[in-house]
Amino acid sequence: MALLIFAFLAGLATALAPCILPALPLVLGGGMGGGRRRPVGIGIGLVASFVLAALGVTAALEFLGLSASTIRTIAIVALLAFGLALLLPWLDRRLGAALSPATRLSERLPRGGDGLGGGMLLGGALGLAWTPCAGPILAGLTAAIATAGRGADVVLALVAYAIGAALPITALAWGGGRLSSRLGPYSGIFRQAMGALMIVAATVMLAGLDVRLTARALADLPGYESTIQAIERSDAARDAIDGLSGTPAGPSPLAVAESDGDDAALAEAVADLPNAGPAPEVREISEWFNTEPLTLAGLRGKVVLVDFWTYSCVNCVRTLPHLRAWHTEYADDGLVILGVHTPEFAFEADPGNVGDAVEDLGIEYPVALDPDYGTWTAYRNRFWPAKYLVDRNGDVRYAHFGEGAYSETENLIRLLLGEPETAATRSAAIPEERDTSVVHGDGQTPESYLGYQRLDRFGAPEQLRRDEPADYAAPFSLPADHVALDGRLVMTAEYTEAVRDGSIHLNFEGRDVFLVLERSGATGGVEVLLDGEAVPAGSAGDDLVDGRVTVGDSRLYSLIRLPERGRHRLVLRLDPGVRAFAFTFG
């Protein structure tokens, strides 16, 4: 029920977003004439076409040679025809007469019947042509459809979203009709003027200029979109979205054992260390590294640190010096570190890639490959990295998410091993890099994905085409923390791949910029520009040499390392076949 409410409210909000601007003339003009129930028909048609398109019904038409872009073009042409019918009364009459014998569409055009059918046709075309500003709710529903199927909860939430979006649009159409009826002898002129605006709006959509209009509006009103999406960005809404992917809503039941990280309160915390109950068993492991297969039951009597990680996650990699130090220091005393490698991207599920990463990163403790999220789901985990400390009896006594709290974690390990705590921990001697895994409330750009499954803050949502090559145009002005594409690229659920002259634009704030990359061909690379110029040597990341990154293994690449944090525009020119997955920042 909570998801339905949030989806409905998100739909209402999206009708107030700048993305509605190109469709306003179509809505206002479409409500004129055609009968008193025409606005209702527009709402019904919009809901039906939007839901069917989102559920992938349009994808089925690709077998007939109709791509998603072709279907949208046909819908825009239909809207253009409605505008012409308003502008030219004689065309209105002829269209009605021509279509009436076959489909009784005369009732659906201006002056025909009560207008319900005509409104449904217009609303259906509008639902296919208009792309709303995708916030977290719509992005979550899209991801659920792409990954978890079309369950009843997803379909109902999608319908609730569409109804929320359709209500303001129906009200606008009704207002347009009421205004026309009140103008008396001038109503005909007003109808023709709105018909002309509909033609202009449809032409703008055909030319792709609606994308630039929306981008310009978002750039001029940087806080507007985030304000209207405040409800769906709340913790409660995110819990509802997480439930779609099979992750239970709310915090993990094991999170009750998480410490607040205050070293001054550590002594008090360890005196009455919480017990979250038996640790879930590791399951659905496809490959083991540095060990024979293990079970927590078989490790009873040991202290076990379960570490969820993935090798392309910069925050995970930054924790490894501490994990390696703990393994060296405490393995002989009864500590077993179990790295559970749960892949964030498909290439991280490849045992060969994981084995190479384990060796390259100098990991000597046991690592389990969890490709189907079996162990991840058993722990109800939601973060990379995440650590769960299990005592000798098999109970979870502590959990920590993200980087940091190393000395605290080490002292708890010592406590469970029966050793006294100490200020001179192994972790205290390890230089600590700046933590980038915290919630970014300080202005730093958050992690930014480049696949539609988790895409957020996309600068030109109207351009987005899933799983098919498309021509993109990056807006001149890009809102803060937004990403945009330029040239010919294809966006899949996980990554964006360059086809020809493809580039990625990012307006970021941070000091360090990392990007997960791989290539589909034998060779490939990325040219990097910072604020429109070559990156100075003093600002280049570890993998940037003479302004270019050579992509080899599928991994995390260091692009930018600035002397201090600031806001910049990054442009990446990708060779054909290079795939970009996600940005992280420091």
Side-chain angles (χ1 to χ4, degrees), residues 536-558:
S539 300
D542 295 340
D543 295 301
L544 185 63
V545 179
D546 296 330
R548 185 173 173 82
V549 173
T550 299
V551 180
D553 296 334
S554 303
R555 63 175 177 86
L556 186 76
Y557 288 80
S558 171

Side-chain angles (χ1 to χ4, degrees), residues 26 43 86 112 179 181 204 212 215 230 236-237 266 312 318 322 343 345 348 376 385-386 395 428 456 471 496 524 564:
L26 301 171
L86 280 178
L179 180 59
S181 65
V204 165
R212 296 185 180 275
L266 182 59
S312 74
R318 285 175 174 167
H322 301 274
F345 304 112
E348 294 174 317
W376 173 286
D395 293 332
D456 195 11
D471 293 316
T496 292
E564 60 183 18

Side-chain angles (χ1 to χ4, degrees), residues 382-397:
R382 298 164 69 180
F383 305 98
W384 291 280
K387 295 172 178 60
Y388 298 87
L389 189 57
V390 182
D391 67 17
R392 296 183 187 273
N393 296 319
D395 293 332
V396 176
R397 307 301 302 275

